Amino acid sequence: MKLFTKILVCSVLMMGPSVTLYAQSKQQPVKLILRSTPWTFTGGSPLSTLSSKTKSAIFKSPSDSSSFTIKLLVNLKAGIANRTLIDIPNVLKVNTFQHDAKDRKRQNYPAYLLPDGSDPVLEAALRLHSPTEPKGPQDMAVGIPLAMLKKLNGAHELVLHFSGVRWTLYVDNELLDNDFPIGYPKWGKQSSWSIDPSLVSKAEIFFTEMEPQRVALEKPRTLSEIQYWTPQGHNAWVGDVTTLFYKGRYHLFYLFDRRGHASKFGKGGHYFEHLSTTDFKTWVEHDAATPIEEQWETLGTGTPFIFDNKLCLSYGLHTTRIYPKEQTLLPLQWDYYNKHGVTGSFRYDTIPGYPAGSTYSISEDGISNFKKSKILFHPCENPSVYSDPDGRLRMLANYGAKGTWESKSIDGGWKSVNPNFPPGGDCTFFFRWKNFDYVIGGFTGFWTKPASATEEKFIDGVKAGLDFYNGMNVPAVTEISKGRFLLAGWIPIAVWGGTLAIHEMVQASDGRIGTKWMTEIMPSTQQERLLSKEIKETATFPLGSSSFLLTFDVAPCTDLNGKLGALFLGANGEDHAAEVQISPNYKRAQYGNGQLQHFSITEKSLREGGSPNGVRNYAIENLSATDKPFTVRMIVKYDHKFGGSLIDTEIAGQRTMISFRPDLKVEKLLLRAENSGIKNVKIAALKN
């Protein structure tokens, strides 16, 4: 019989009159230096101006494709009803209304609520006429929950800016929402507009060039977190992540997502933002590596790589989401490949047709300052480019192609060297660790082989139940200093976007890979408290915080069927409750729906048909180091923006698993042990 072990539930903040106070946590918070600044619009003469005395007017519009800026001085208040602040018939409406405080679809407005629970919203809907939309004109809305304003009641300046590429809402000099247009408004020969003078004291419309300018700050804005981080904004999320360690700096690129893939009329509107760090304690937010600069642009996943001693970032142009394949440059690229047996090199800004396929950007200083090459080098739309351990430039083709490709130059000349592996469709990444090679997919695929073996010797690790999927979507693997490997990805919250997550990887002598928490980026906590020295059956604890770190150990046990459970309960008891369950001797752990009287039902692992990438209920199997005493740690993080709780579990320092539980705000913890004992239960509230 194998020994039972100790498990660690990440420490939580709980208090009670009898708990023992422990020393203050020594974990120092990380610092993220933000690029965020206020914005200003200066210069230009308004084409038309409205005021409380002149509440409507007619003006002659320039061409439909002109950029424009509208400035509004508005008076807002908490109890505002359904009102139209500004109306340009068949072009633009700016409205306020009461939003359903339970409806997080698309804009995630309930991220900010007023104290009474109401959700007043301001929204600007621009009607666009797209050449690719058979349904006719569509309204592109940008908006905010008014509760996010520091001071709601009173005067505010609103700026609406349409550049042709971006449709952006600024309030009091802060960029609060944007989207990426397809098409243009139709102004007509003359346009009328009007305001509600009880809410708008002044409105100006400009058609001259008036681009927003950043306001230089003497002291940059900062945040004290990176783990579970999301970009600022009620509807801004982290999408696909890709990473590289270069010259002592860890680069993390992520697809910036608003609206859970619903931006750009559902085409995604993604592009790569960029963070980096040299010590994992201080992080810097750089300029976007691949900003959207054309209406046809929407980007797919790629990889950073080094070529010709330059830091590069490959990515895909998913133009076929907007235009038919026949109108893109994909047929040209495939024709070239079919004739020559290698891919061509096409400078897409010199060729008629919409660019699509693989391209890349180059850093001009080896740190940031990326510039688009505007070269199409392959027709696949999710290129995974890398230099293999033998120095060969290679690529795993995903979405639109498959297999392994090789070239002597990034600019074309790519030939297929293994057409059937990997099978494509997913976002695959290669890495070598000591004597083993690995390929991991974005959601399900995982293959491994000895480094000395030929490529046809890759074994399907998912079928063997030896994968290390832990809830991260499209995970990227990177070796950093001292032979350490990191796994970074995103945790789904808003359909196709969520929080950033980074874990450290561990490797056994047989090549088996697991994951653990990374010490440097652990969230900082308040004082740790001892909840209980020992729990033999069941114990319940009220909590003083909904975000916490919980840890505990489990006494050895010889019962094969023994298991442990941590049940997280909200205000409504079993409704939305979540259970973390561990069966040490069966080497399994899972997230399940919590029940007060019983353990949750058995969930499936990825091998068995479960879905770790769904980050709800799933199991992991073949745990390591649970045949002897071990520790379990759990971090529970609630955020109004999430609309629920993230639960990150580390088991024996060898495996991690993450779940997101919508609508759960933890108030109570129930620990249960069946034929085992839980010891040393400790909890500490998170500082952020």
Side-chain angles (χ1 to χ4, degrees):
M1 290 282 218
K2 295 184 178 179
L3 296 177
F4 229 30
T5 64
K6 44 180 189 174
I7 73 181
L8 122 178
V9 180
C10 305
S11 47
V12 173
L13 155 158
M14 317 193 253
M15 32 214 78
S18 61
V19 294
T20 302
L21 189 64
Y22 276 68
Q24 179 78 21
S25 170
K26 295 181 180 180
Q27 175 71 18
Q28 296 298 314
V30 301
K31 180 169 75 170
L32 171 58
I33 301 173
L34 298 171
R35 185 171 176 265
S36 167
T37 67
W39 297 82
T40 184
F41 288 79
T42 58
S45 298
L47 184 61
S48 181
T49 300
L50 301 179
S51 66
S52 56
K53 295 181 179 180
T54 307
K55 64 180 182 180
S56 64
I58 296 174
F59 59 89
K60 184 177 181 181
S61 312
S63 69
D64 291 342
S65 60
S66 296
S67 63
F68 67 89
T69 303
I70 296 176
K71 288 185 174 182
L72 302 172
L73 292 178
V74 301
N75 289 290
L76 301 174
K77 54 185 177 181
I80 202 165
N82 294 0
R83 304 283 287 275
T84 297
L85 281 69
I86 178 173
D87 182 19
I88 306 178
N90 299 314
V91 175
L92 173 69
K93 282 185 182 292
V94 180
N95 295 323
T96 58
F97 57 90
Q98 289 292 332
H99 183 73
D100 182 351
K102 295 182 179 180
D103 180 7
R104 291 182 174 269
K105 294 178 182 177
R106 192 177 178 86
Q107 281 287 71
N108 198 40
Y109 287 140
Y112 293 88
L113 300 176
L114 292 178
D116 65 0
S118 65
D119 193 12
V121 163
L122 182 147
E123 195 168 81
L126 180 66
R127 181 156 297 180
L128 297 175
H129 298 255
S130 168
T132 66
E133 183 49 60
K135 297 180 181 179
Q138 298 182 89
D139 289 344
M140 177 169 279
V142 291
I144 60 166
L146 291 177
M148 74 183 298
L149 300 177
K150 291 181 179 179
K151 184 180 179 182
L152 169 54
N153 295 327
H156 299 271
E157 182 185 62
L158 272 63
V159 177
L160 293 163
H161 181 63
F162 176 80
S163 70
V165 177
R166 287 176 175 81
W167 170 229
T168 310
L169 168 65
Y170 302 82
V171 182
D172 299 332
N173 301 317
E174 299 290 342
L175 192 165
L176 298 186
D177 194 17
N178 70 346
D179 205 337
F180 300 97
I182 304 174
Y184 293 88
K186 286 190 179 297
W187 293 96
K189 293 183 179 180
Q190 286 188 325
S191 297
S192 63
W193 71 323
S194 60
I195 59 172
D196 181 340
S198 67
L199 294 175
V200 181
S201 59
K202 187 177 182 180
E204 299 173 297
I205 185 165
F206 302 80
F207 282 92
T208 55
E209 287 297 325
M210 184 183 281
E211 290 298 318
Q213 302 295 323
R214 290 184 177 274
V215 176
L217 298 176
E218 292 184 6
K219 184 178 180 181
R221 296 170 172 174
T222 61
L223 291 175
S224 298
E225 61 180 348
I226 193 70
Q227 189 73 297
Y228 321 124
W229 172 80
T230 65
Q232 291 178 295
H234 61 285
N235 60 359
W237 307 99
V238 173
D240 292 356
V241 172
T242 187
T243 57
L244 183 72
F245 191 73
Y246 178 58
K247 292 186 176 180
R249 182 178 293 269
Y250 180 72
H251 295 268
L252 188 149
F253 304 89
Y254 68 92
L255 290 181
F256 181 90
D257 175 87
R258 285 197 195 269
R259 304 172 182 85
H261 211 294
S263 289
K264 212 175 183 78
F265 293 136
K267 313 302 182 183
H270 296 125
Y271 63 94
F272 273 112
E273 289 281 6
H274 179 203
L275 307 172
S276 76
T277 180
T278 57
D279 60 3
F280 296 95
K281 298 303 293 185
T282 300
W283 295 70
V284 178
E285 185 177 40
H286 301 285
D287 289 346
T290 59
I292 290 180
E293 298 169 313
E294 303 286 348
Q295 284 201 358
W296 52 261
E297 282 185 297
T298 184
L299 276 52
T301 309
T303 51
F305 62 97
I306 306 301
F307 180 72
D308 195 22
N309 294 317
K310 294 179 180 178
L311 173 61
C312 304
L313 175 63
S314 68
Y315 56 97
L317 299 175
H318 282 255
T319 318
T320 51
R321 293 177 181 170
I322 303 173
Y323 292 95
K325 180 179 179 180
E326 294 72 26
Q327 295 183 30
T328 73
L329 296 178
L330 289 175
L332 175 66
Q333 295 179 76
W334 280 118
D335 286 347
Y336 186 96
Y337 173 74
N338 291 331
K339 289 178 182 178
H340 299 89
V342 296
T343 67
S345 179
F346 301 93
R347 177 88 188 196
Y348 65 68
D349 59 346
T350 65
I351 304 172
Y354 294 105
S358 300
T359 186
Y360 68 101
S361 289
I362 307 172
S363 170
E364 296 185 330
D365 59 8
I367 297 176
S368 58
N369 296 316
F370 282 83
K371 183 179 181 180
K372 294 176 181 177
S373 68
K374 298 186 178 180
I375 292 174
L376 297 171
F377 64 84
H378 195 285
C380 91
E381 296 177 60
N382 276 357
S384 179
V385 178
Y386 63 99
S387 294
D388 77 359
D390 297 321
R392 296 174 296 188
L393 188 64
R394 287 198 155 190
M395 180 185 73
L396 305 181
N398 307 280
Y399 189 59
K402 64 179 182 177
T404 304
W405 298 67
E406 189 174 312
S407 179
K408 293 183 179 179
S409 170
I410 182 64
D411 296 332
W414 290 88
K415 63 180 179 180
S416 175
V417 295
N418 191 342
N420 297 315
F421 181 83
D426 209 340
C427 304
T428 48
F429 300 93
F430 168 90
F431 65 100
R432 175 173 290 178
W433 192 350
K434 295 181 180 177
N435 298 322
F436 295 89
D437 288 342
Y438 307 89
V439 173
I440 184 171
F443 305 103
T444 59
F446 173 65
W447 301 269
T448 181
K449 71 175 183 65
S452 58
T454 56
E455 293 186 356
E456 64 271 12
K457 300 297 183 181
F458 271 106
I459 296 173
D460 190 328
V462 172
K463 288 185 178 180
L466 299 176
D467 65 272
F468 52 90
Y469 285 98
N470 64 354
M472 292 187 196
N473 280 224
V474 193
V477 177
T478 296
E479 181 178 9
I480 61 172
S481 58
K482 299 180 181 179
R484 298 168 69 188
F485 279 71
L486 300 186
L487 182 75
W490 59 280
I491 307 303
I493 291 178
V495 184
W496 207 263
T499 70
L500 175 65
I502 303 172
H503 285 176
E504 188 167 352
M505 303 171 74
V506 295
Q507 184 191 45
S509 58
D510 63 357
R512 175 79 189 282
I513 285 181
T515 50
K516 65 179 181 179
W517 290 351
M518 186 180 188
T519 302
E520 292 92 330
I521 62 171
M522 282 278 293
S524 56
T525 61
Q526 305 287 354
Q527 291 175 317
E528 186 179 71
R529 298 174 182 274
L530 179 68
L531 295 180
S532 177
K533 290 185 177 180
E534 185 173 12
I535 297 171
K536 294 184 177 180
E537 292 184 354
T538 300
T540 302
F541 304 92
L543 306 182
S545 171
S546 56
S547 297
F548 51 84
L549 168 69
L550 174 69
T551 67
F552 62 81
D553 302 328
V554 178
C557 178
T558 58
D559 192 320
L560 184 64
N561 296 315
K563 53 187 175 183
L564 311 159
L567 178 60
F568 298 102
L569 299 159
N572 297 321
E574 288 186 354
D575 288 351
H576 311 297
E579 182 198 70
V580 180
Q581 184 185 128
I582 301 174
S583 302
N585 286 323
Y586 280 118
K587 299 185 179 298
R588 289 180 67 96
Q590 68 172 45
Y591 288 104
N593 294 330
Q595 302 178 64
L596 286 170
Q597 303 302 321
H598 308 282
F599 281 98
S600 60
I601 63 173
T602 301
E603 301 293 339
K604 294 180 179 180
S605 68
L606 180 59
R607 178 184 64 86
E608 297 163 337
S611 300
N613 62 291
V615 296
R616 298 295 191 268
N617 295 338
Y618 67 93
I620 60 174
E621 55 185 331
N622 293 311
L623 295 177
S624 299
T626 59
D627 54 351
K628 55 186 176 182
F630 63 92
T631 299
V632 176
R633 298 188 293 174
M634 296 181 185
I635 289 175
V636 176
K637 182 177 176 65
Y638 175 82
D639 194 298
H640 287 291
K641 181 177 179 179
F642 301 171
S645 296
L646 205 65
I647 305 176
D648 187 354
T649 302
E650 182 198 64
I651 303 170
Q654 298 291 313
R655 292 293 300 277
T656 59
M657 55 190 306
I658 305 172
S659 181
F660 173 63
R661 318 304 294 197
D663 300 312
L664 174 62
K665 184 176 183 180
V666 179
E667 295 187 358
K668 187 181 297 184
L669 169 69
L670 185 153
L671 293 175
R672 53 166 60 108
E674 185 175 86
N675 301 319
S676 65
I678 298 174
K679 295 184 177 182
N680 304 320
V681 182
K682 301 174 186 177
I683 194 167
L686 300 187
K687 288 185 177 179
N688 294 314

